[in-house]
Amino acid sequence: MTAVPKPEPAPPFFIVGCVRSGTTMLRDALRLHPNLACPEETSFLRWGEAPGTDNFNRMLGTNPVLKHHRELDGITEDEFRAMLAACTSRGDLYRRYMALFIERRKPGARRWFDKTPQNVYGALLAATTIERSRFVHIVRDPRNVAASLRIGKVVKVGHLNGAIAYWTEAVQIMNGLKKAYPGRVLEIRYEDFVADPQAGLRALLDWLGESYDPAWFASVDTRLVDHAQEGVLTPAELEQVVQGCRRGMRRHGYLPPHES
């Protein structure tokens, strides 16, 4: 009797983008889906040190924020050290971590995803080492991002050059990844998502090949936060953001295509 082959598991996906662009909001909504599991931020792709090196192990193993994230995920430090010692690549580390996380925190889930904004810097590594992985890039008007970073409730970047670089680098990386892997990158505008989260979730889940039930997301409540209009940045600073981010702003519809 011929054995029936098991269906291939759905590939994982990554929510990435510039910090303060709505990645947490999107993660929290998708966590309500019964088939999807996402831990706290991992930062596995964030830093340019190779797995198996002392620097890689030190950056991930000693960071107090990441240690707290692992505690929330239900993974002990002894277990994580064992993963670091055994992993052969970042993809291998993800597979080990996510398997244990799902077992501990959401055993009914069959697909994992990761939300770490700064993992955008390792998106190409994820695309090449985690087969068929997909990427959800959420983009927010950089004027609002810069104002939010100036306020600094979660991440504080007072200098505009830093805020501009955060935004432009994320946009440039994901634009390149989208060209390299057509069909594996979905871009969502923060402003569109908060205006109609149910429509945004329906479209995203359809792209992922996952089922959609509006009842799962009945508790999702979004509102547009417009820090750029709160006087956090001066008119001159807002113009500096526009000048620094102009190309990406045009691409994502925050400026008319041919504005000078």
Side-chain angles (χ1 to χ4, degrees):
M1 184 175 179
T2 304
V4 177
K6 291 182 180 180
E8 192 172 6
F13 62 95
F14 295 83
I15 296 176
V16 293
C18 177
V19 292
R20 309 306 297 152
S21 293
T23 56
T24 300
M25 170 192 68
L26 187 56
R27 177 203 66 187
D28 290 348
L30 288 173
R31 276 177 165 175
L32 299 172
H33 193 290
N35 194 46
L36 303 178
C38 180
E40 298 300 308
E41 294 184 3
T42 64
S43 291
F44 291 173
L45 296 159
R46 180 176 182 175
W47 292 294
E49 297 288 346
T53 65
D54 291 340
N55 283 343
F56 183 81
N57 293 346
R58 181 166 55 252
M59 286 187 296
L60 290 179
T62 64
N63 185 295
V65 173
L66 297 182
K67 291 176 75 170
H68 179 57
H69 288 180
R70 292 191 287 273
E71 181 181 3
L72 294 174
D73 291 342
I75 294 175
T76 70
E77 290 307 294
D78 284 344
E79 289 169 331
F80 187 66
R81 280 191 291 270
M83 291 181 200
L84 286 176
C87 77
T88 57
S89 68
R90 295 173 205 260
D92 184 34
L93 178 58
Y94 265 116
R95 284 185 285 271
R96 294 171 186 271
Y97 192 94
M98 295 300 186
L100 188 54
F101 166 71
I102 289 175
E103 177 186 318
R104 297 272 169 82
R105 291 293 189 243
K106 198 171 181 179
R110 294 293 178 267
R111 188 178 195 177
W112 63 263
F113 69 99
D114 174 85
K115 190 287 294 189
T116 308
Q118 294 94 333
N119 275 351
V120 70
Y121 290 101
L124 181 60
L125 273 173
T128 55
T129 62
I130 302 176
E131 189 177 0
R132 301 183 300 127
S133 55
R134 291 188 168 199
F135 302 85
V136 180
H137 177 211
I138 185 165
V139 187
R140 186 183 186 187
D141 189 320
R143 290 166 289 199
N144 257 309
V145 170
S148 181
L149 289 170
R150 174 70 60 82
I151 294 168
K153 288 184 178 179
V154 178
V155 179
K156 186 171 182 62
V157 178
H159 200 291
L160 279 189
N161 287 345
I164 290 168
Y166 255 136
W167 195 87
T168 55
E169 288 183 354
V171 166
Q172 288 166 351
I173 290 168
M174 294 312 297
N175 186 50
L177 193 71
K178 193 173 182 179
K179 290 178 179 178
Y181 294 98
R184 289 174 63 181
V185 178
L186 177 68
E187 292 185 311
I188 297 173
R189 293 200 339 160
Y190 163 88
E191 295 80 6
D192 297 335
F193 185 87
V194 297
D196 193 345
Q198 289 283 357
L201 288 165
R202 185 185 303 113
L204 172 53
L205 291 167
D206 182 65
W207 181 74
L208 291 168
E210 293 287 343
S211 58
Y212 167 79
D213 184 337
W216 295 336
F217 309 107
S219 63
V220 174
D221 183 20
T222 59
R223 63 185 181 88
L224 182 66
V225 178
D226 190 354
H227 294 304
Q229 301 302 317
E230 295 175 356
V232 178
L233 303 178
T234 67
E237 288 176 322
L238 288 170
E239 180 58 24
Q240 183 181 341
V241 174
V242 170
Q243 292 300 325
C245 302
R246 183 173 296 276
R247 181 178 294 181
M249 290 180 74
R250 284 176 176 162
R251 183 184 304 131
H252 292 286
Y254 296 113
L255 291 176
H258 304 296
E259 181 178 303
S260 61

